[in-house]
């Protein structure tokens, strides 16, 4: 057999050429101390803040991230099972930042904060990934919030409207219906799915019981809302680092869709338009702050007020600043944030609630007294506010809801006065009756969001005095019958209102005559 020297020479040349490319140079350190999801590592002198680390354990690789850069050691948090990491284990610096899978494949799935499925529905074949912690878009990349994000809750859409790209805080004591408000908002987005106004929803559960999260997922599934929802769960039994990173992971998954506005004509696998609007619910950020406090104290960072570290404000501001309405040049996508904060005994001036109130564009305050007296959703109209206001409402709602807040505020004052047993004149009694009717009208069952046109019709009937002589106990029956009549015989008026989204004199006349006709035939208790 004849040996060809030119072949041998070419093989040797290619081996020499590829030698430098195949040689992997990585910095390696060793674990000095480990416990409670925290590790101290010696030997990573070139490690960067926030760099992703790979712990080489006897049971495989475990990921972590650089948190503290100290004189001789590096303080790191461990994502995953920190019990696998032992003292003396080697740690490799990857030169990368933490990323999570994003894209259409994530829709309908329940994942952990690293993007790994925890719903027993098989692997996720995501084609893209995004960095978990990024700098928020700058002022030049944004535009003012001007499109409504309909929650389906009358009291919110009428008096505390939320716009696409806004950050609206949901705040209140435990068990006052904070999660219910967020879930209603997610369910209400079903009407837009498959249209150009579609909204992808990301529900981030931080420090919740697994059974609670399973209940939320089941509720969304029954309502058909899981088609456009991603659930990111960091349970109460998960380590603090995982709970800390969960809101950032959820935001990264939502941001993928927000930037899709730049891809004109992009579609989902089933041919529906690719959504460019996203809604992120963080339930709740109080528990994230507690997890971050645990990390910080274990890493020997100095505690500040209420033992929280000094940068806990930055923790939430760099998260919520990522919610935005992008400029037209960037595709006009949006990311709306609904952070949830739990108060103790209604103390909205505590450290974490104060911080988040100052970062957000308004708050929905849920009051225990209202909740237990049967007013649900238990929204305190006096403290609740939206700093976007009428810009986030359709014109019809803006026109009729202007007096609603004042009516309710006056009713609350008169109600307290009337309890003294004072004789009331007719005008005051009329105001009390209208206020009582409006309180009844704004009550709404859980997980039954209402279409904005139905809301306009109901509130129009209330503010124009059609309910003044209806008994409070019969208001719900009146409203249901009224809306049914607009779905049947008065369908053309409903359709016209839905198309115009504004109330002109002609449409108002039609609306008034239709409600008058319905009221003439209304029989309470029938």
């Amino acid at each position: 057999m004849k040996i060809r020297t030119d072949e041998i020479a070419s093989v040797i040349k290619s081996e020499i050429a590829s030698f430098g490319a195949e040689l992997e140079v990585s910095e390696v350190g060793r674990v000095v101390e480990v416990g409670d999801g925290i590790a101290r590592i010696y030997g990573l002198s070139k490690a960067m803040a926030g760099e992703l680390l790979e712990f080489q354990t006897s049971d495989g690789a475990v990921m972590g991230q650089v948190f503290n850069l100290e004189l001789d050691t590096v303080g790191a948090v461990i994502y995953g099972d920190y019990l696998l990491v032992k003292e003396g284990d080697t740690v490799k610096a990857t030169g990368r930042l933490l990323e999570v899978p994003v894209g259409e494949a994530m829709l309908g799935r329940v994942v952990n904060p690293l993007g790994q499925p925890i719903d027993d529905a098989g692997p996720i074949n995501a084609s893209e990934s995004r960095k978990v912690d990024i700098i928020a878009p700058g002022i030049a990349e944004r535009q003012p919030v001007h499109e409504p994000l309909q929650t389906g809750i009358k009291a919110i859409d009428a008096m505390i409207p939320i716009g696409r790209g806004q950050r609206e805080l949901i705040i209140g004591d435990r068990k006052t219906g904070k999660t219910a408000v967020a879930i209603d908002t997610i369910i209400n987005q079903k009407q837009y799915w498959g249209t150009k106004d579609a909204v992808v929803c990301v529900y981030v559960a931080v420090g919740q019981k697994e059974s609670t999260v399973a209940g939320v997922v089941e509720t969304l599934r029954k309502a058909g809302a899981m088609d456009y929802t991603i659930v990111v769960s960091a349970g109460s039994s998960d380590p603090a680092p995982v709970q800390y990173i969960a809101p950032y992971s959820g935001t990264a998954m939502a941001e993928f869709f927000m930037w899709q506005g730049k891809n004109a004509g992009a579609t989902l696998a089933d041919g529906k338009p690719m959504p460019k609007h996203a809604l992120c619910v963080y339930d709740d950020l109080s528990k994230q702050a507690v997890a971050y406090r645990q990390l910080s104290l274990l890493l020997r960072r100095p505690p500040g007020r209420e033992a929280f570290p000094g940068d806990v404000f930055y923790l939430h501001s760099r998260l919520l600043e990522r919610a935005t309405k992008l400029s037209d040049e960037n595709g006009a996508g949006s990311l709306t944030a609904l952070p949830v904060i739990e108060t103790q005994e209604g103390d909205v001036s505590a450290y974490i609630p104060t911080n988040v109130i100052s970062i957000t564009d308004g708050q929905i305050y849920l009051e225990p007294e209202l909740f237990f007296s049967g007013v649900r959703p238990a929204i305190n109209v006096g403290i609740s506010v939206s700093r976007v206001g009428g810009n986030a409402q359709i014109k019809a709602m803006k026109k009729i809801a202007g007096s609603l807040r004042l009516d309710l505020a006056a009713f609350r004052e008169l109600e307290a006065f009337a309890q003294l047993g004072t004789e009331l004149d007719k005008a005051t009694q009329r105001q009390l009756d209208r206020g009582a009717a409006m309180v009844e009208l704004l009550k709404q069952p859980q997980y039954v969001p209402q279409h904005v046109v139905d809301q306009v019709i109901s509130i129009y009937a209330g503010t124009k005095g059609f309910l003044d002589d209806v008994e409070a106990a019969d208001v719900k029956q009146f409203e249901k019958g009224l809306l049914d009549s607009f779905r049947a015989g008065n369908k053309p008026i409903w359709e016209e209102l839905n198309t115009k989204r504004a109330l002109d004199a002609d449409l108002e006349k039609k609306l008034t005559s239709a409600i008058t006709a319905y009221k003439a035939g209304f029989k309470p208790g029938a």
Side-chain angles (χ1 to χ4, degrees):
M1 182 180 166
K2 190 177 177 185
I3 298 170
R4 292 184 57 183
T5 53
D6 57 336
E7 262 186 38
I8 296 170
S10 68
V11 169
I12 292 169
K13 279 178 185 174
S14 67
E15 288 288 331
I16 291 168
S18 62
F19 176 74
E22 288 176 10
L23 187 66
E24 187 186 334
V25 180
S26 58
E27 200 181 0
V28 175
R30 288 200 177 274
V31 176
V32 181
E33 184 187 349
V34 65
D36 294 316
I38 300 294
R40 285 187 191 284
I41 303 152
Y42 179 80
L44 295 179
S45 58
K46 291 190 176 71
M48 301 177 289
E51 186 174 355
L52 201 59
L53 302 175
E54 198 176 283
F55 292 83
Q56 308 291 337
T57 73
S58 53
D59 291 327
V62 175
M63 302 313 286
Q65 195 175 18
V66 175
F67 238 60
N68 275 16
L69 297 174
E70 291 158 19
L71 201 60
D72 299 313
T73 59
V74 166
V77 296
I78 302 166
Y79 301 125
D81 190 356
Y82 64 86
L83 297 172
L84 298 176
V85 180
K86 304 281 187 289
E87 284 180 27
D89 283 349
T90 56
V91 185
K92 191 170 76 173
T94 62
R96 296 184 290 120
L97 293 171
L98 185 61
E99 294 183 335
V100 287
V102 297
E104 187 186 340
M106 306 297 288
L107 294 175
R109 301 302 300 267
V110 184
V111 298
N112 68 13
L114 300 178
Q116 298 158 340
I118 53 173
D119 55 1
D120 297 328
I124 295 173
N125 301 313
S127 55
E128 291 183 55
S129 61
R130 284 184 72 90
K131 288 185 173 54
V132 164
D133 205 352
I134 62 161
I135 295 172
I139 296 291
E141 293 176 275
R142 303 170 180 238
Q143 64 173 302
V145 173
H146 62 273
E147 301 166 315
L149 180 100
Q150 304 293 350
T151 65
I153 301 169
K154 284 176 283 191
I156 295 175
D157 290 342
M159 296 181 289
I160 318 143
I162 300 171
R164 293 187 177 189
Q166 191 176 340
R167 301 155 299 178
E168 184 79 7
L169 172 63
I170 302 170
I171 186 168
D173 286 11
R174 65 188 300 271
K175 297 291 179 191
T176 50
K178 300 187 298 298
T179 302
V181 168
I183 299 304
D184 274 349
T185 306
I186 292 174
I187 292 171
N188 194 52
Q189 305 316 308
K190 187 179 179 183
Q191 61 181 300
Y192 302 109
W193 189 243
T195 71
K196 62 181 178 57
D197 291 322
V199 180
V200 166
C201 303
V202 181
Y203 177 78
V204 183
V206 184
Q208 308 285 334
K209 289 184 294 187
E210 275 83 352
S211 59
T212 306
V213 179
V216 167
V217 172
E218 190 55 33
T219 300
L220 293 174
R221 195 160 276 139
K222 278 181 182 170
M226 278 305 283
D227 294 345
Y228 53 86
T229 304
I230 305 166
V231 176
V232 180
S233 175
S236 52
S237 60
D238 286 334
V242 176
Q243 293 186 38
Y244 149 73
I245 207 70
Y248 300 102
S249 298
T251 307
M253 293 171 195
E255 278 173 335
F256 167 82
F257 293 99
M258 176 178 79
W259 288 99
Q260 287 302 310
K262 295 186 86 171
N263 304 334
T267 58
L268 295 166
D270 57 5
K272 290 175 181 172
M274 177 66 81
K276 63 174 183 177
H277 301 289
L279 167 69
C280 230
V281 175
Y282 308 109
D283 192 7
D284 66 62
L285 291 188
S286 312
K287 292 188 177 72
Q288 191 214 10
V290 169
Y292 186 66
R293 173 169 65 184
Q294 181 183 324
L295 294 185
S296 298
L297 294 177
L298 287 168
L299 284 165
R300 303 279 188 272
R301 290 184 178 182
R305 180 176 160 190
E306 292 173 35
F308 285 102
D311 63 341
V312 77
F313 181 89
Y314 178 58
L315 173 82
H316 289 149
S317 64
R318 79 175 191 266
L319 170 71
L320 295 170
E321 277 299 315
R322 288 162 73 174
T324 179
K325 169 68 179 166
L326 292 175
S327 63
D328 291 335
E329 297 77 45
N330 284 313
S334 70
L335 171 55
T336 311
L338 291 181
V340 177
I341 288 286
E342 186 181 294
T343 53
Q344 307 291 328
E345 297 293 326
D347 186 7
V348 292
S349 62
Y351 189 36
I352 299 301
T354 313
N355 278 352
V356 184
I357 284 171
S358 66
I359 297 164
T360 48
D361 309 312
Q363 67 275 348
I364 297 164
Y365 177 61
L366 300 168
E367 196 171 10
E369 285 75 19
L370 287 173
F371 185 85
F372 295 124
S373 66
V375 179
R376 298 175 189 178
I379 297 166
N380 180 319
V381 181
I383 299 178
S384 301
V385 65
S386 170
R387 297 189 185 98
V388 172
N391 287 349
Q393 282 177 312
I394 63 169
K395 286 178 180 175
M397 182 66 88
K398 191 175 179 180
K399 184 174 182 179
I400 61 162
S403 63
L404 186 57
R405 186 187 278 269
L406 290 173
D407 285 350
L408 284 175
F411 167 68
R412 293 275 176 232
E413 281 185 25
L414 285 173
E415 192 181 33
F417 179 68
Q419 283 174 341
L420 301 171
T422 321
E423 283 287 319
L424 301 172
D425 60 83
K426 281 185 179 176
T428 307
Q429 189 60 52
R430 198 160 51 245
Q431 210 169 355
L432 266 176
D433 292 343
R434 178 166 300 184
M438 291 312 297
V439 167
E440 283 301 315
L441 193 66
L442 292 175
K443 288 181 184 178
Q444 203 168 330
Q446 203 171 327
Y447 310 142
V448 189
Q450 224 177 47
H451 193 283
V452 67
V453 175
D454 290 344
Q455 292 181 32
V456 168
I457 294 167
S458 295
I459 293 166
Y460 182 84
T463 53
K464 295 297 179 185
F466 287 101
L467 298 173
D468 288 3
D469 54 352
V470 176
E471 290 292 323
D474 299 322
V475 167
K476 277 283 159 225
Q477 184 200 338
F478 183 94
E479 185 196 15
K480 185 180 182 304
L482 177 66
L483 294 179
D484 287 345
S485 75
F486 274 92
R487 296 279 185 180
N490 295 316
K491 184 78 172 174
I493 302 173
W494 194 98
E495 292 291 358
E496 189 181 347
L497 187 52
N498 191 34
T499 306
K500 287 184 177 176
R501 298 280 167 128
L503 272 174
D504 53 30
D506 180 48
L507 187 51
E508 204 167 333
K509 198 174 173 184
K510 288 180 190 173
L511 202 57
T512 303
S513 62
I515 298 170
T516 307
Y518 168 76
K519 190 178 177 184
F522 174 67
K523 292 184 177 63

